[in-house]
Amino acid sequence: MTTPGKLIEYLDNGKFICAFVTEAQDKRLRLITQSGREVNLPLSRVLHSSRRAYSLTGNREEIQRQLLEAADSRKGLIEAINLEEIWELTTDEDASVFEPVFLTELAFGGDTDDNQVAAFIRCIFSDRLYFKFKEGEINAHSREQVEQLRLQQDKEQSKQALLTNGAMALTSLLQNEVIDPTLQPVLDQCLPALQSFYLFAGDAPQAVMARELLKMAGLHDPHAPFHLLVKAGIWESNENIPLLRQEIPSTFSLAARQQAEMLLRQGTMELFSDKARVDLTALAPMTIDGATTLDFDDALTIEEEDDNFVVGVHISDVAHYVKPEDPLFQEAMQRGTSLYFPEGQIPMLPRHLSQGICSLIQGEIRATLSLMILLSPEAEVLRVRIKPSIIKVARRLTYEEVDRLIAADQDWELQTLNMLRTKLRDKRVAAGALLLPFPDVNISLQTNGSVQIALADSDTPARTLVSEMMILANTEAARFVADRMVPGLFRAQGPPRKRLVHGLDNDLFQNSLQRKQLSRGELLTEAKAHSGLGVAQYTTITSPIRRLLDLLMQHQLHSLIRREDLRFNEKACKDFTAVISRTLAAANAVKQQRHRYWLLKYLEARIGTSMNAMVLDSNPRRVFLLLTDILMDIDLPAPAGQAPAPGGIVQVKIAKVDALDNNVRFDW
């Protein structure tokens, strides 16, 4: 029983405290401690209470002296205790729960005093391997428990050593010091943990370790792991962090690479033995792409037939090479699309295919899926034939070359295609299509590390010629599948929430506002109207090298054309819509974030300068603008006085930019 005058011991913030009881209640004690403080303590926190009561008639200094002497005595007695020896003795006992006095007598031999018992209890708290103190009694651990605890201790010691040495290595790395060779293995173990932590924060497998490591190294900047990984040579200084966070693969499996190499060695002569494949090598197809394009997946031909025109849209037959059961198909399923960045690309298919046997390279025999579309002089569709085919591209043209040839009026094929392009476009606009041309933002990285941005007209004759022919082919492919009442993968879009643009409007302000009013696009297994394109049904088949959807629809078309069992049923198509929606959402997020990163890198070099901005909208609190040089949306607090009018051009100043932090601030 704990009564006034008893010398008790308790733990406070990990420290043992000696105190005299001055007043005792049922569940609480009033104490004077070895530091001279008076405290209230729950009775349940008492670890040891002396067997005798002390006189408290002396002054405060004398009482404190006695307590400090007891504390020093107990601290010194701990050194004489060998817990392992005492534990070994207890293993011979039938019981596993002991009184503290009994075990203390084993430790010191013979009768024991209060200081020795308290010292033994202290020893148990400092080394929890063999015993556990609980409610005034001591539990001896079994041999299995001791072994498990030893393993845990070893693990904890290894962890602490890793953290201590890892923090030293990180500090050396950050300060550009030579890493001690003995610390290199530790650094190699720490950097992957920091990499995962930077990308996924608390969801990283070793998030706790990474936090402790950074704390011990004194690295509190949230981007410290990024800079460490750059210094270690694991990441580039402009590493594509959004790509890593989305976990989009940038390399291909061994099985996929082997299949791609086999297909490349296979060659193209076997195509001619396919009786269902039409030999169109007598035609002279042309590709029209950007000057730096390496993966050509569409080519065009045009011929006269009576008073009409046969437009041939020839699409690389990727489905001939990539089957649903193949490793290459699984790789395409993981990616969903190719990704293009200023610093490079992440192809959906290995370059053996995307830039090799599937690319419509000038002068090379290639497998294609050809849509031969008979158009009237007014661009009315009179007949559509879709056939697996073989072509050899005769001309590789760039957009710039085509624009010059059209302007020179010396190329019948291009002139006729351009005439049909204009009429096809007019028909779509009459059906409600929203063209909304927006300049292309071309970002280029210079050898000196600077970022250059140039706007390019996306509405040139060459570019719209290609886009109109692709829209025509995709529309007719969708009609072909829908007319046969089979499931497919169709793109649809409802009418805009509000219509601001009518006809061929090329106004940047109006087009910017109209884009914000568009309905969300859908991916469906049955055909519905696409309001934005002004067509009754739509899919995409014209980019199978770089889009999973197009590859899937190629397979569906093949099964219909060849009169084989339907490649994909309704359930499979629904499953594909989920896969495509997920992969495209990830890919689009990466593209948008990476595009913004490079815009911010461009702005970083121009802090303090001014830029033109078009006012899109405003309210009493914010003004929403478009930077006209780089087509980036920003917003600012509304200025004092009258807000600038929508459509007007104002000047804004670049105040602060941090591309890595995705942070930018402008001032008026």
Side-chain angles (χ1 to χ4, degrees):
M1 182 177 180
T2 305
T3 58
K6 292 290 184 75
L7 194 162
I8 65 101
E9 188 159 284
Y10 67 96
L11 273 171
D12 186 31
N13 289 326
K15 294 182 178 180
F16 291 97
I17 306 294
C18 288
F20 281 127
V21 179
T22 59
E23 183 181 340
Q25 299 177 357
D26 287 343
K27 294 184 178 181
R28 299 192 70 82
L29 302 175
R30 184 73 177 172
L31 308 173
I32 182 169
T33 71
Q34 63 192 53
S35 61
R37 294 175 56 234
E38 293 189 16
V39 299
N40 285 310
L41 187 78
L43 186 60
S44 60
R45 288 184 60 189
V46 174
L47 299 178
H48 176 262
S49 179
S50 64
R51 282 170 281 192
R52 74 181 182 92
Y54 292 77
S55 171
L56 302 179
T57 57
N59 58 33
R60 179 67 63 91
E61 289 76 12
E62 175 62 22
I63 291 172
Q64 189 175 351
R65 183 189 62 77
Q66 292 183 67
L67 290 171
L68 289 172
E69 284 182 355
D72 288 342
S73 174
R74 295 171 180 189
K75 186 177 180 181
L77 287 167
I78 288 176
E79 296 179 4
I81 300 171
N82 188 323
L83 283 183
E84 185 176 7
E85 288 183 356
I86 305 304
W87 174 75
E88 287 287 356
L89 292 173
T90 64
T91 58
D92 297 330
E93 301 286 334
D94 293 333
S96 62
V97 180
F98 304 93
E99 292 293 328
V101 173
F102 172 75
L103 295 180
T104 306
E105 289 174 348
L106 290 178
F108 289 98
D111 294 337
T112 57
D113 60 25
D114 288 329
N115 284 343
Q116 290 172 323
V117 175
F120 192 86
I121 293 172
R122 286 189 180 202
C123 196
I124 288 173
F125 274 90
S126 62
D127 183 354
R128 301 170 186 262
L129 184 59
Y130 303 102
F131 298 99
K132 181 179 180 181
F133 185 85
K134 184 178 181 182
E135 297 178 354
E137 295 180 321
I138 297 175
N139 293 269
H141 292 148
S142 67
R143 291 192 180 277
E144 292 77 11
Q145 287 175 308
V146 170
E147 184 60 31
Q148 188 63 35
L149 288 169
R150 276 202 179 103
L151 292 173
Q152 290 177 2
Q153 284 184 356
D154 291 344
K155 187 176 180 181
E156 184 61 29
Q157 288 173 359
S158 297
K159 176 186 172 184
Q160 288 304 315
L162 175 66
L163 291 173
T164 302
N165 293 328
M168 291 171 54
L170 294 180
T171 302
S172 297
L173 178 63
L174 205 58
Q175 295 175 354
N176 296 318
E177 297 174 354
V178 177
I179 305 295
D180 186 327
T182 62
L183 295 181
Q184 190 60 51
V186 176
L187 187 64
D188 293 340
Q189 191 174 348
C190 292
L191 290 175
L194 293 180
Q195 181 175 353
S196 181
F197 178 67
Y198 185 75
L199 295 175
F200 306 113
D203 292 331
Q206 295 178 293
V208 174
M209 185 191 106
R211 284 195 188 97
E212 293 179 9
L213 193 60
L214 293 168
K215 183 178 179 181
M216 288 186 69
L219 301 174
H220 306 296
D221 179 355
H223 298 300
F226 177 90
H227 299 302
L228 285 166
L229 291 159
V230 171
K231 283 184 174 291
I234 294 174
W235 282 351
E236 300 289 338
S237 58
N238 291 303
E239 190 70 27
N240 193 332
I241 300 302
L243 182 72
L244 297 177
R245 284 189 173 137
Q246 290 291 348
E247 298 184 284
I248 296 173
S250 57
T251 58
F252 293 90
S253 67
L254 176 61
R257 295 199 307 273
Q258 288 175 336
Q259 185 192 352
E261 290 168 3
M262 179 196 70
L263 291 172
L264 193 61
R265 290 195 302 268
Q266 177 180 307
T268 56
M269 296 313 295
E270 51 86 23
L271 298 173
F272 293 95
S273 62
D274 182 355
K275 294 180 180 178
R277 195 172 289 277
V278 180
D279 184 353
L280 298 180
T281 54
L283 297 179
M286 69 184 87
T287 59
I288 305 173
D289 287 278
T292 59
T293 299
L294 296 174
D295 45 1
F296 304 95
D297 47 20
D298 60 82
L300 297 173
T301 57
I302 185 164
E303 300 171 284
E304 286 187 283
E305 184 177 300
D306 298 328
D307 295 326
N308 302 309
F309 304 98
V310 178
V311 173
V313 182
H314 311 277
I315 310 301
S316 173
D317 192 355
V318 180
H320 173 71
Y321 297 104
V322 181
K323 312 292 186 185
E325 58 274 11
D326 292 344
L328 284 171
F329 188 87
Q330 297 309 312
E331 295 283 343
M333 287 279 284
Q334 289 184 50
R335 292 164 172 77
T337 184
S338 295
L339 286 169
Y340 299 88
F341 306 110
E343 67 272 27
Q345 63 166 274
I346 309 294
M348 185 180 79
L349 296 170
R351 288 178 173 81
H352 299 78
L353 274 72
S354 62
Q355 296 177 17
I357 200 164
C358 290
S359 184
L360 305 186
I361 300 169
Q362 183 179 6
E364 298 289 340
I365 296 293
R366 287 294 181 258
T368 46
L369 190 66
S370 294
L371 289 86
M372 307 304 289
I373 305 170
L374 183 65
L375 295 176
S376 72
E378 297 305 314
E380 295 285 349
V381 176
L382 304 176
R383 183 187 71 223
V384 179
R385 290 175 179 163
I386 306 177
K387 288 285 186 180
S389 57
I390 307 168
I391 69 165
K392 181 192 289 187
V393 171
R395 289 196 288 174
R396 176 193 172 183
L397 300 173
T398 66
Y399 293 123
E400 292 75 18
E401 289 171 334
V402 171
D403 284 331
R404 287 195 297 270
L405 289 169
I406 290 175
D409 195 13
Q410 293 178 346
D411 190 301
W412 177 85
E413 289 180 310
L414 291 175
Q415 291 301 134
T416 308
L417 285 170
N418 188 50
M419 177 271 293
L420 293 171
R421 178 268 304 188
T422 303
K423 294 182 177 180
L424 286 168
R425 198 181 212 200
D426 289 344
K427 285 180 178 297
R428 290 197 302 111
V429 170
L434 285 165
L435 303 178
L436 307 181
F438 227 63
D440 290 330
V441 181
N442 294 326
I443 301 172
S444 58
L445 310 182
Q446 308 302 302
T447 54
N448 62 1
S450 65
V451 181
Q452 296 297 320
I453 296 180
L455 301 185
D457 187 1
S458 64
D459 203 38
T460 67
R463 290 178 182 274
T464 54
L465 184 156
V466 173
S467 65
E468 284 301 326
M469 298 308 152
M470 297 307 113
I471 291 171
L472 174 65
N474 289 327
T475 302
E476 293 307 319
R479 189 197 312 275
F480 185 87
V481 176
D483 284 352
R484 284 151 182 79
M485 305 293 288
V486 298
L489 298 166
F490 301 95
R491 293 206 170 276
Q493 185 183 41
R497 295 184 293 275
K498 184 179 180 181
R499 192 170 186 104
L500 305 172
V501 173
H502 302 271
L504 299 172
D505 200 326
N506 203 21
D507 183 87
L508 183 62
F509 173 65
Q510 289 295 329
N511 288 346
S512 297
L513 296 183
Q514 183 66 79
R515 283 187 170 206
K516 298 179 186 298
Q517 298 296 325
L518 297 178
S519 297
R520 190 181 185 89
E522 297 179 276
L523 183 60
L524 307 170
T525 57
E526 59 180 21
K528 288 189 177 180
H530 195 297
S531 173
L533 294 173
V535 295
Q537 62 281 310
Y538 197 71
T539 187
T540 55
I541 63 162
T542 53
S543 293
I545 291 175
R546 62 192 83 174
R547 284 197 301 246
L548 174 63
L549 190 155
D550 302 50
L551 173 58
L552 295 171
M553 283 300 286
Q554 265 200 353
H555 276 294
Q556 199 75 326
L557 280 168
H558 265 293
S559 61
L560 293 171
I561 295 164
R562 294 174 179 269
R563 301 183 185 279
E564 298 172 345
D565 291 340
L566 197 62
R567 173 60 86 169
F568 304 124
N569 60 23
E570 177 75 19
K571 182 182 182 305
C573 288
K574 284 188 179 297
D575 291 342
F576 286 135
T577 63
V579 171
I580 292 169
S581 297
R582 173 176 53 79
T583 54
L584 288 189
N588 288 333
V590 172
K591 285 193 290 186
Q592 291 168 10
Q593 292 171 51
R594 196 58 176 168
H595 182 78
R596 179 176 169 84
Y597 173 84
W598 287 117
L599 294 184
L600 295 187
K601 290 296 288 186
Y602 173 82
L603 295 174
E604 275 184 348
R606 292 159 177 80
I607 293 175
T609 63
S610 296
M611 298 184 74
N612 288 332
M614 177 185 291
V615 181
L616 297 179
D617 196 7
S618 65
N619 60 43
R621 300 183 64 182
R622 310 294 295 179
V623 178
F624 302 92
L625 308 111
L626 178 71
L627 299 177
T628 54
D629 289 342
I630 61 175
L631 301 186
M632 177 178 165
D633 287 311
I634 65 169
D635 63 277
L636 283 172
Q642 186 175 1
I649 301 294
V650 297
Q651 288 267 303
V652 295
K653 184 178 179 181
I654 308 168
K656 180 181 178 182
V657 190
D658 187 334
L660 187 59
D661 212 31
N662 189 27
N663 182 33
V664 61
R665 182 170 63 82
F666 290 86
D667 292 332
W668 292 105

